[in-house]
Amino acid sequence: MSQRVLFLLHIPPPVHGSSMVGKWIKGSDLVNKTFSCRYINLLASDSVSQSGVISIRKIIGFIGVWWKLFINLLRHKPDLCYLALTTTGIAFYRDALLVCTIRLFGIRRIFHLHNKGVKGASTGKWKRWLYKSTFKGTDVILLSDFLYPDIENFVRRDLVHICPNGIPDSGMYAKTKNLESVVPKILFLSNLIKSKGIFVLLDALNKLKNKNIEFSCIVVGREGDVTEVQFQQKLSTLGLNGSVKYQGGVYGEEKYEIMNSVDVFTLPTFFECFPLVLLEAMEHGLPVISTREGGIPDIVEDGVNGYLVAREDADELAEKLEKMILDPQLRTRMGSAGREKFERHFKLDIFERRLTDILTEVINRH
């Protein structure tokens, strides 16, 4: 008889890293053949902007989630409960209540963390107690070993499993990719969110413009805490209207076509765990410039398949962009190294095998 796993995870909409991973887990032939699986969707928001906002609809949605959990624990007692735990904010308190219910049934738990912030949020006696109680005796899957310090006060190292995310190969990679454009093209692909470093990028591009370095930049992503109006105002203030183009949200083949048409990918984020978009850039053979944030150093090897810069440092970002812009052979070499690393470590089937092995190990150990 197959081992029974109850998955409580995020499934789109909205689309973000954790929900896409949840979608791939639910659709995985390997996971569903290895275990007897049941799934409960934790998401109650239709868009990223609704995340963290309390509403009557969300309260009713939580009651529905809790009831589904209770019925599954009562009628189909699983060998393991997998929970894509949200580590901070209102959603953490919701998840902590779900964890209490699972513990009442004596079910083994494993948390898959796609976000961070535990160290900063666990200040004060009551909050420390709550985090300690929630994580007590629970195995945890982290996306990178660099993320362990965030939870080290609450989780023993021997209960931590490292499982980097993987993504499907789109099959849209242009093997004959030419990264030697006369005017190199830079791509930023993320929602317009300050913490993704969009304004840092614009400040860096302004420095390049002032040095008379030729470039073009495409910004792809939906509005976030930065609106399109605010973005365009910043472009006008810096005099970048002729060099930077905003395309809004782009998906599917159109997104892949853009990735195949540019020379450099950058995401100067300053609050991140393990951005899937960096894997997509590497899948398409792009050199990457990002920051030493979260698990990114496991994705981008500084000087090999891209560069890592200090967070919120427009000067260093401009310096690395300049290197990329002025050296087409460097772009080609780093882009090829990124594609090779993607094929070795970050394809979806590799992630599925890692995850399946971890869940099997945890079930068998207990």
Side-chain angles (χ1 to χ4, degrees), residues 41-306:
N41 184 11
L42 294 173
L43 283 182
S45 302
D46 293 326
S47 65
V48 175
S49 62
Q50 294 176 2
S51 298
V53 178
I54 298 177
S55 66
I56 297 297
R57 178 185 172 187
K58 285 188 177 182
I59 294 172
I60 294 172
F62 168 73
I63 294 172
V65 167
W66 181 87
W67 181 249
K68 289 177 185 176
L69 172 63
F70 180 79
I71 292 299
N72 272 278
L73 295 176
L74 190 65
R75 296 181 179 175
H76 313 282
K77 187 175 182 179
D79 299 294
L80 180 69
C81 274
Y82 163 108
L83 173 62
L85 181 80
T86 301
T87 55
T88 59
I90 296 169
F92 169 70
Y93 298 109
R94 173 205 67 188
D95 289 354
L97 288 172
L98 298 177
V99 172
C100 287
T101 304
I102 296 168
R103 288 177 65 181
L104 286 174
F105 281 81
I107 307 298
R108 189 69 196 172
R109 303 163 306 285
I110 186 166
F111 299 158
H112 197 169
L113 304 189
H114 297 277
N115 43 62
K116 62 177 185 174
V118 171
K119 182 159 284 188
S122 57
T123 55
K125 187 175 181 181
W126 183 82
K127 286 187 177 180
R128 282 197 302 272
W129 174 85
L130 182 59
Y131 276 100
K132 184 177 180 180
S133 175
T134 301
F135 279 102
K136 184 178 180 181
T138 301
D139 285 76
V140 173
I141 300 172
L142 294 179
L143 309 180
S144 164
D145 205 41
F146 286 104
L147 297 166
Y148 178 62
D150 190 50
I151 61 168
E152 63 184 350
N153 293 332
F154 304 103
V155 183
R156 299 198 319 261
R157 188 63 184 80
D158 61 296
L159 294 177
V160 172
H161 312 266
I162 305 301
C163 184
N165 282 334
I167 62 173
D169 192 329
S170 67
M172 296 285 287
Y173 168 56
K175 294 183 179 180
T176 57
K177 193 173 188 64
N178 177 16
L179 297 180
E180 302 186 12
S181 304
V182 176
V183 179
K185 299 175 184 175
I186 301 163
L187 174 63
F188 174 94
L189 198 161
S190 175
N191 290 327
L192 297 185
I193 297 173
K194 291 177 185 176
S195 65
K196 300 293 185 180
I198 183 58
F199 286 154
V200 178
L201 172 60
L202 295 184
D203 288 337
L205 295 177
N206 183 52
K207 295 176 186 296
L208 297 179
K209 184 200 71 168
N210 291 337
K211 294 178 71 173
N212 295 316
I213 295 172
E214 283 191 288
F215 65 87
S216 65
C217 179
I218 302 171
V219 173
V220 175
R222 299 173 63 181
E223 292 179 304
D225 59 11
V226 176
T227 66
E228 182 177 356
V229 171
Q230 291 171 323
F231 178 78
Q232 297 294 351
Q233 287 174 342
K234 180 76 170 179
L235 287 186
S236 297
T237 300
L238 298 176
L240 290 171
N241 300 79
S243 303
V244 180
K245 180 181 179 182
Y246 175 59
Q247 293 199 204
V250 174
Y251 308 96
E253 290 191 11
E254 187 179 357
K255 179 178 72 172
Y256 301 140
E257 288 170 0
I258 290 175
M259 285 188 159
N260 280 330
S261 71
V262 301
D263 301 274
V264 180
F265 186 90
T266 185
L267 184 74
T269 178
F270 43 94
F271 190 82
E272 203 73 56
C273 270
F274 204 88
L276 295 182
V277 70
L278 297 186
L279 307 187
E280 291 182 316
M282 291 163 59
E283 177 203 350
H284 286 81
L286 291 173
V288 174
I289 302 177
S290 193
T291 54
R292 299 176 183 86
E293 179 66 20
I296 292 176
D298 273 343
I299 302 172
V300 181
E301 295 177 70
D302 192 37
V304 178
N305 63 317

